[in-house]
Amino acid sequence: MSYGRYTDRVARLPREAFRPSPIFLGLVALFVITGWMTWAGFGNLKINVFVFVAAGWTISLCLHEYAHAVVAFKGGDHDIAHRGYLTLDPLKYTHPLLSIVLPLVFVLLGGIGLPGGAVWVNHSAVRGRFVDSLISFAGPATNLVLAVVLVLPFSLGVAESSHLEFWAALAFLAFLQLTASVLNFVPMPGVDGGNLLYPWLSPQWQRGFNHVAPYGMLLLIALLWSPMINTWFFGGVQSIGDLLGMPADYVSLGYGFFKFWSF
């Protein structure tokens, strides 16, 4: 496709294709309001922490999928804008259940930032294998960047004990971003880490990959139920968290506040 045809096609896209959806803006507003309520100690602190973390986690899921979509759009799949993926609207995803509901359930059950998977990309329209890999890389990289940003107050010594609930909630949210990033980078079919390698595999390996990919997420979940693998995983996440300056005691405290039902 020539540059002129490309720019004409992009120019024909309505502004709504790039405008943040009301749902996403509502999530941001909820995140800010409950963050302030947690900071100020207004209302029920455990409920505030729960909504603050849940809203922040859902926002990060939207940003994760948006990162995939925007790289795909820049890389040649211009129809991705028509599918609504550049509006940050979780209802536009191919599998809202897998990308939003299931990750939220796993946070509730075990405090694990489970990766989702929802943006459908026309890989035949993408310009080259490197860009194809970059599309898969963009999602977990976003979670990693968010983890670093959320940890900054702790690594810089800004966090104060006088607003313990807020800082604990922030630490737990950072922990979720880190777990999501680590899980997403696992080189398994059906997960971003595996999809990152896929363009570089031989046709024979790609055929095998395609057979396993639909069950990759279920296999990853099953592996996490293994006590040994679970210990390795959380130990590895904590080691990375220590390097970033993520306080383990604040993470545990934040998870405790998040579970408002366990008074």
Side-chain angles (χ1 to χ4, degrees):
M1 180 181 292
S2 68
Y3 179 76
R5 290 175 61 190
Y6 166 79
T7 54
D8 288 344
R9 188 169 186 180
V10 173
R12 289 197 299 269
L13 289 169
R15 292 183 179 180
E16 289 76 15
F18 305 94
R19 188 175 296 162
S21 71
I23 294 177
F24 180 78
L25 295 177
L27 287 170
V28 172
L30 187 63
F31 177 71
V32 172
I33 291 170
T34 53
W36 172 82
M37 291 173 68
T38 303
W39 176 276
F42 181 81
N44 187 305
L45 288 176
K46 279 203 166 186
I47 296 295
N48 292 342
V49 169
F50 172 80
V51 178
F52 175 63
V53 172
W57 174 234
T58 307
I59 288 169
S60 73
L61 292 173
C62 294
L63 292 174
H64 175 109
E65 303 300 347
Y66 177 80
H68 287 310
V70 74
V71 175
F73 179 78
K74 295 291 186 181
D77 183 8
H78 314 132
D79 288 333
I80 207 163
H82 292 289
R83 293 190 284 273
Y85 295 148
L86 300 180
T87 64
L88 293 156
D89 185 349
L91 299 182
K92 296 291 185 180
Y93 299 151
T94 308
H95 300 292
L97 177 65
L98 293 179
S99 286
I100 300 297
V101 178
L102 191 61
L104 282 173
V105 168
F106 264 77
V107 171
L108 293 173
L109 293 178
I112 301 174
L114 184 74
V119 171
W120 185 85
V121 177
N122 180 11
H123 293 278
S124 63
V126 174
R127 296 190 293 270
R129 289 187 295 178
F130 176 78
V131 176
D132 211 351
S133 292
L134 192 60
I135 293 171
S136 298
F137 174 81
T142 298
N143 291 112
L144 183 58
V145 169
L146 290 173
V148 171
V149 170
L150 292 171
V151 166
L152 277 178
F154 303 98
S155 58
L156 296 177
V158 177
E160 303 172 357
S161 59
S162 56
H163 300 284
L164 182 62
E165 293 84 0
F166 175 83
W167 294 118
L170 205 68
F172 178 53
L173 186 55
F175 175 79
L176 292 179
Q177 303 305 320
L178 191 56
T179 58
S181 182
V182 172
L183 283 173
N184 266 290
F185 277 127
V186 172
M188 178 181 292
V191 181
D192 285 334
N195 295 335
L196 190 154
L197 299 175
Y198 180 82
W200 307 93
L201 300 177
S202 66
Q204 181 180 359
W205 278 90
Q206 286 183 346
R207 286 193 294 271
F209 184 103
N210 291 334
H211 286 302
V212 178
Y215 313 102
M217 184 65 69
L218 293 176
L219 180 58
L220 184 61
I221 293 171
L223 289 173
L224 286 174
W225 285 108
S226 165
M228 182 175 64
I229 295 178
N230 189 280
T231 300
W232 288 347
F233 170 73
F234 280 107
V237 169
Q238 189 55 57
S239 296
I240 299 173
D242 291 340
L243 292 175
L244 295 177
M246 181 184 301
D249 52 343
Y250 273 66
V251 172
S252 299
L253 196 60
Y255 184 43
F257 288 136
F258 176 78
K259 295 191 296 182
F260 69 90
W261 56 90
S262 58
F263 289 98

